[in-house]
Amino acid sequence: MAGSRSVVMGRPREFDVDEALERAMRVFWERGYEGVSLTDLTKAMGITKPSLYAAFGDKKELFRKALERYTEGPADYGTRALEEPTARGVAEAILRGAVRTTTRPGGPAGCLGVQALASSEAGRPAHDMLVEWRNSWALRLEERFQRAVDEGDLPRDADPRRLARYVMTVTFGIAVQAAGGLGRDELQDIADMALECWLPNGVRRTHTEPSG
């Protein structure tokens, strides 16, 4: 019967899951994984602990979902950068994107992937997630630079792995400096300096002379 379709199967959630996750992401971004308790999270998200567990799992799983949201939201400049037609364009888009994201007006300074790095045993799940997250980005960037070598966009002796590490190190350095209070103009100057050093000897393949 038509009326049977309106029967509520179970109690509906009384909060917006998407909005609650957005707030959780911001809290982790501002204060790190170890810097927030479940009470801090539920207060910021406007929900109870049972609701948090039911919708997101425990703190570790909530952080995982927040990191995914961060990757697909504020940090999506990284994915878009990989679509640039040249390797230099990729590096420029990543560095400029890092500057913009870590200095957003009204937003948390720095990068969630740096701010939330945990050091204690209790924070090990977050630590491992972030190590995997950063390594994944470095690998994607390395693969993009390898493609640039194969296509002739980068010199044959360019080292994609070292080049990827170079860009990622500058990117996370920008995030650390932003969290420390450095302004957008100063950070952009750092990004520009890094681009001026594009393809220095340090990111070309090294050749070891045979001993003897």
Side-chain angles (χ1 to χ4, degrees):
M1 294 184 295
S4 64
R5 296 183 180 179
S6 64
V7 175
V8 177
M9 301 300 292
R11 184 179 180 182
R13 290 196 178 108
E14 298 176 351
F15 64 94
D16 186 321
V17 174
D18 193 61
E19 177 62 26
L21 182 57
E22 176 73 21
R23 294 179 181 180
M25 179 194 74
R26 186 182 179 98
V27 173
F28 283 128
W29 190 351
E30 289 176 337
R31 300 169 58 181
Y33 182 82
E34 293 179 310
V36 295
S37 64
L38 282 176
T39 299
D40 296 327
L41 289 165
T42 53
K43 182 177 180 180
M45 297 164 74
I47 63 177
T48 63
K49 287 184 180 180
S51 294
L52 186 152
Y53 287 125
F56 303 105
D58 58 14
K59 181 181 177 182
K60 178 184 71 174
E61 289 306 311
L62 175 60
F63 179 74
R64 186 189 303 278
K65 290 180 174 66
L67 183 59
E68 290 172 355
R69 185 178 183 87
Y70 177 77
T71 303
E72 297 168 358
D76 71 338
Y77 65 86
T79 299
R80 289 185 281 107
L82 297 177
E83 300 173 359
E84 290 292 325
T86 65
R88 191 184 190 284
V90 171
E92 182 174 1
I94 287 176
L95 295 177
R96 292 186 183 279
V99 172
R100 289 194 308 271
T101 300
T102 59
T103 58
R104 297 196 311 174
C111 168
L112 186 150
V114 173
Q115 299 289 90
L117 187 62
S119 57
S120 72
E121 190 60 33
R124 176 59 59 178
H127 175 276
D128 293 345
M129 270 185 252
L130 291 174
V131 168
E132 181 181 354
W133 183 77
R134 289 195 298 273
N135 289 343
S136 173
W137 272 111
L139 179 59
R140 293 177 68 184
L141 193 54
E142 178 186 343
E143 291 172 344
R144 177 62 183 85
F145 288 152
Q146 181 61 60
R147 194 182 92 197
V149 171
D150 296 340
E151 294 174 348
D153 176 44
L154 285 176
R156 297 298 301 179
D157 63 345
D159 188 325
R161 176 174 295 183
R162 297 177 74 190
L163 187 54
R165 289 175 177 172
Y166 169 71
V167 173
M168 294 302 293
T169 298
V170 177
T171 298
F172 288 123
I174 286 172
V176 171
Q177 293 283 24
L182 215 59
R184 177 171 291 193
D185 290 343
E186 295 168 300
L187 293 171
Q188 186 57 62
D189 184 55
I190 293 171
D192 292 341
M193 288 180 63
L195 290 169
E196 289 173 5
C197 299
W198 184 246
L199 283 184
N201 290 335
V203 294
R204 294 182 183 275
R205 298 184 189 277
T206 57
H207 301 280
T208 303
E209 294 294 332
S211 60

